[in-house]
Amino acid sequence: MATDQKIRVRFAPSPTGFLHIGGLRTALYNYLFARRWGGTFILRIEDTDRTRTVPGGAEGIIRTLRRAGLDYDEGPDVEGQERGKYGPYVQSKRLTIYREHIYKLVTAGAAYQCFCSPEELETVRQIQIAAKQPTIYNKKCREMSSPDRAALIKDGRPHVIRLAIPEEGSTTFSDIIRKEITFENRLIDDSVLLKSDGYPTYHLASVVDDHLMNITQVIRGEEWIPSTPKHVILYRAFGWTPPEFAHLPLLLNPDRSKLSKRQMDVAVENYLDRGYLPEALINFTALLGWNPQADREVYELDELARSFNLPDVNSSGAVVNLEKLGWLNGQHLRRLSKEEYARRAVPYLEAASLITPCPGGWVNEQSGTIFSSQDLQNALSLERERVRNLGDLPEALSFIFGAVPEYDGDLLIWKDAEPARIMKGLGELAEFLELMRDWTESALEARVKAWIDEQGYDTGQILWPMRVALTGRKASPGPFEVAAVLGKERTLARLRKAVEKLS
Ligand code: GLU
């Protein structure tokens, strides 16, 4: 690979919807490649297809990239842009550039006006389908004489401009991931370059921009392979040297069909909203088609950037396995400091109305219980190992921040123990705890266990109902951890409530 050249790559999404996992993977590989070689990562919004562009699409993509931590390096100045310095390149603001370029092609005979109506084109297509021929433009207008052409233009007849693909031979390009790819020219469509509304198509705009922006490697999804020979022909027609190309493997559903939103949620922002960490999403996405060939799977963005090697990307499809995303998220959750974990979790607890900021910390408005930052960190630690994402925390920890949920008294009964004995045990436990001063998890555990022995109770007879009394749940963190986080007063109140339930 040419690494003596200053590397410049781009992510060029069309704002036709939200950023999906495939788009994030393309953006990420471009970003990693740029970082690896000290190059420049450009964001270019390809919005020249007015019928497919959705309002807010570009903003959504930019916001998602930013949330994922993929910042772009360069762009035109945009007044009032949030980030201060520059916005991304936006093709709809560069229309004159494409128009100037198309005329060079027409003058050189590398492109031509086509006056065929949509109805005519459709008829030709149907005939081709019936004859099982490739459905490409029949080149009718390519043969037109110059005077006829001039007359129609003078008449104001609507037209598009098409690329004149050479009739003979083939077009070959080399792909960093797949080696050489060849297309026979007779099977390549004379694609439209400029539409009748004066907007360029993707082919023209992206080739012109990749050239003018000095893009050195075009890294994009495999679905663009059929477009690449057209682009190579365009570069040659302009007299330009094409960049290098790297086509990334398809993403697949677990059943190995092409990744689709019908089978799974593919919107990156939905995962971020649900509380998957950007670090985990990036880690997960990076491994869709590449791995750093080490015996580990958990990486931070900068580590990925240090080892990313484009030629090592696989050419075969990569399965998107959400189980693995959940696992990686757990790993990254564990890597956060207690403070950082709490900082990221707070918005989820607030959104669920479990806590509201108040002087000195947070308050649960229903019960009036106040939590300091330390209380909050301790409470969050209870579930750090168990939750899949931050969005699961409110439900997992509602019994800490809010009241204990309503539960059935039968749940307090350990195996086939006598309810009366359980009630007695819990009551005595509450009395014993009342006298305890050192309210830490380790002290609680040591003292309560010794007390159970002294009293001749079975461990389960005390610890099971204690845990249920504190959490109201069949499954939860252990009784000592929970008691330590709840504090003495709330613990005793919950034990007494349980005793009442049994009486
Ligand atoms: N605008 C194209 C897209 O939406 C970009 C393809 C390319 O990277 O050349 O994916």
Side-chain angles (χ1 to χ4, degrees), residues 98-113:
Y98 311 121
R99 280 184 212 136
E100 277 161 24
H101 279 84
I102 193 80
Y103 287 110
K104 290 188 198 159
L105 288 185
V106 174
T107 319
Y112 60 94
Q113 290 88 353

Side-chain angles (χ1 to χ4, degrees), residues 186-245:
R186 68 184 175 85
L187 298 176
I188 306 177
D189 200 5
D190 275 10
S191 290
V192 175
L193 297 176
L194 196 75
K195 289 173 281 185
S196 52
D197 63 4
Y199 276 78
T201 58
Y202 156 67
H203 301 301
L204 176 68
S206 81
V207 164
V208 167
D209 280 348
D210 284 341
H211 175 75
L212 295 181
M213 295 174 188
N214 296 314
I215 297 302
T216 49
Q217 282 78 18
V218 165
I219 305 170
R220 62 185 169 202
E222 166 182 311
E223 64 277 22
W224 299 102
I225 290 179
S227 297
T228 308
K230 296 175 193 170
H231 299 177
V232 170
I233 290 167
L234 259 174
Y235 281 104
R236 288 190 191 135
F238 278 121
W240 299 335
T241 312
E244 293 186 284
F245 295 97

Side-chain angles (χ1 to χ4, degrees), residues 24 44 144 161 173 182 222 317:
L24 180 66
R44 186 171 75 217
M144 199 181 280
I161 295 182
F173 61 92
T182 299
E222 166 182 311

